[in-house]
């Protein structure tokens, strides 16, 4: 029988994987990989604000991530190229966050847990937040799936169909902010983007429809989370990096299999 903390860790990993994988498909399709990374980096500033104001880490991280998302959506393409804006905002937020943490006297903080995750320390209250966030993201994706997909594949067609591509992009980046906020406990700031991107990229060669890609990505993300947790527990390796390393191995394996199948054709 598994210990309670292992059951909580497994449920936390599944919750994050289920939310991140389908959202990661849109990140891959839209080539928004850097945005996921930038939002994750900004989360450290949210951690510092949470500790300074004695509020929950989830609240602080979600607030900063939402502000980052709104700033990118508002300023993107106006004065600077998107990658330039993301680079400035991401690294500035990370730097301010790390500096702010150093000024927090009398507060003990395990910075490595926020950078790389600490899934084994997940509490029941964390589980409630993770699954609530995952449910919200999944409902948003289910509700806006057709509109999001149309706006992603062909913005002009979306406009002609009465769909506002800017609105759909805002919904997407707000969903990303929620995923980052709930995933920080599981895989940490530095690995969140990997959990978003790798399952989706792994599923892509074997998918014939967008829906298939989303389903396969969820399965790969869930398998990576559970198997990575098992491997980390038995070999005493850091859990977050182990989960992402396993997902990376699946990606390389799928790439090799896809290449071999292409040669046979």
């Amino acid at each position: 029988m598994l210990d309670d903390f292992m059951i909580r860790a497994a449920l936390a990993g599944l919750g994050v994987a289920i939310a991140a994988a389908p959202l990661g498909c849109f990140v891959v399709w839209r080539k928004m990989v850097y945005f996921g990374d930038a939002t994750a980096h900004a989360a450290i500033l949210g951690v510092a604000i949470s500790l300074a104001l004695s509020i929950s880490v989830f609240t602080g991280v979600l607030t900063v991530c939402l502000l980052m998302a709104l700033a990118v959506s508002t300023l993107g393409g106006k004065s600077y190229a998107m990658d330039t804006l993301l680079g400035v905002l991401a690294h500035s937020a990370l730097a301010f966050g790390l500096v702010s943490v150093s000024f927090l006297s009398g507060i003990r903080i395990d910075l490595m847990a926020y950078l790389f995750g600490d899934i084994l320390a997940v509490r029941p209250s964390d589980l409630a937040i993770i699954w609530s966030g995952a449910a919200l993201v999944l409902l948003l994706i289910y509700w806006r799936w057709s509109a999001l997909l149309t706006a992603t594949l062909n913005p002009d067609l979306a406009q002609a169909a009465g769909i506002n591509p800017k609105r759909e992009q805002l919904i997407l980046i707000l969903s990303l902010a929620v995923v980052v906020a709930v995933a920080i406990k599981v895989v940490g700031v530095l690995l969140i983007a990997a959990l978003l991107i790798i399952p989706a990229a792994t599923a892509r060669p074997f998918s014939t429809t967008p829906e298939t890609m989303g389903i396969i990505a969820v399965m790969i993300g869930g398998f990576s989370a559970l198997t990575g947790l098992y491997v980390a527990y038995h070999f005493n390796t850091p859990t977050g990096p182990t989960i992402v390393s396993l997902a990376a191995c699946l990606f390389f394996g799928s790439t090799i299999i896809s290449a071999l199948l292409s040669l046979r054709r």
Side-chain angles (χ1 to χ4, degrees):
M1 186 68 179
L2 287 175
D3 294 327
D4 287 346
F5 77 93
M6 285 294 290
I7 294 173
R8 289 195 298 270
L11 289 173
L14 276 178
V16 170
I18 288 171
L23 200 58
C25 293
F26 285 101
V27 171
V28 171
W29 293 331
R30 284 176 170 260
K31 299 179 181 178
M32 291 175 62
V33 172
Y34 199 25
F35 177 81
D37 207 31
T39 309
H41 278 61
I44 282 292
L45 180 57
V47 172
I49 292 172
S50 301
L51 295 174
L53 299 179
S54 299
I55 59 176
S56 77
V57 171
F58 173 78
T59 302
V61 170
L62 181 60
T63 301
V64 170
C65 289
L66 288 175
L67 289 174
M68 166 73 85
L70 291 171
V72 170
S73 180
T74 304
L75 301 175
K78 292 187 176 180
S79 302
Y80 300 97
M82 183 63 79
D83 60 343
T84 302
L85 181 63
L86 286 172
V88 171
L89 291 176
H91 295 99
S92 298
L94 178 61
F96 279 118
L98 292 173
V99 170
S100 300
V101 166
S102 69
F103 284 108
L104 297 175
S105 59
I107 298 176
R108 292 186 62 186
I109 173 173
D110 183 6
L111 197 57
M112 294 296 286
Y114 290 107
L115 292 176
F116 297 104
D118 191 10
I119 191 173
L120 297 179
V122 167
R123 298 168 298 178
S125 57
D126 296 321
L127 271 182
I129 290 171
I130 288 170
W131 278 93
S132 297
L136 176 62
V137 169
L138 289 176
L139 284 172
L140 273 175
I141 292 174
Y142 178 77
W143 174 47
R144 304 302 302 172
W145 178 266
S146 181
L148 278 169
L149 196 57
T150 305
T152 296
L153 299 177
N154 193 325
D156 294 331
L157 178 62
Q159 199 86 46
I163 299 169
N164 185 345
K166 275 284 187 183
R167 181 187 61 201
E168 302 308 318
Q169 180 179 332
L170 181 60
I171 290 172
L172 185 62
I173 60 180
L174 290 177
S175 299
L176 276 170
V178 173
V179 168
V180 168
V182 300
I184 189 171
K185 190 82 174 180
V186 176
V187 290
V189 167
L190 299 182
L191 301 174
I192 290 171
L195 202 60
L196 274 168
I197 300 156
I198 295 176
T202 306
R204 194 169 195 172
F206 307 104
S207 306
T208 54
T209 65
E211 291 80 7
T212 304
M213 182 170 163
I215 292 169
I216 295 175
V218 168
M219 293 170 63
I220 291 169
F223 177 81
S224 300
L226 293 180
T227 309
L229 178 63
Y230 176 84
V231 171
Y233 180 72
H234 284 277
F235 292 94
N236 197 28
T237 56
T239 311
T242 302
I243 291 172
V244 174
S245 296
L246 182 62
C249 289
L250 293 175
F251 169 75
F252 292 126
S254 74
T255 303
I256 293 169
I257 292 171
S258 178
L260 292 174
L261 291 174
S262 298
L263 289 175
R264 287 187 65 181
R265 295 183 193 133

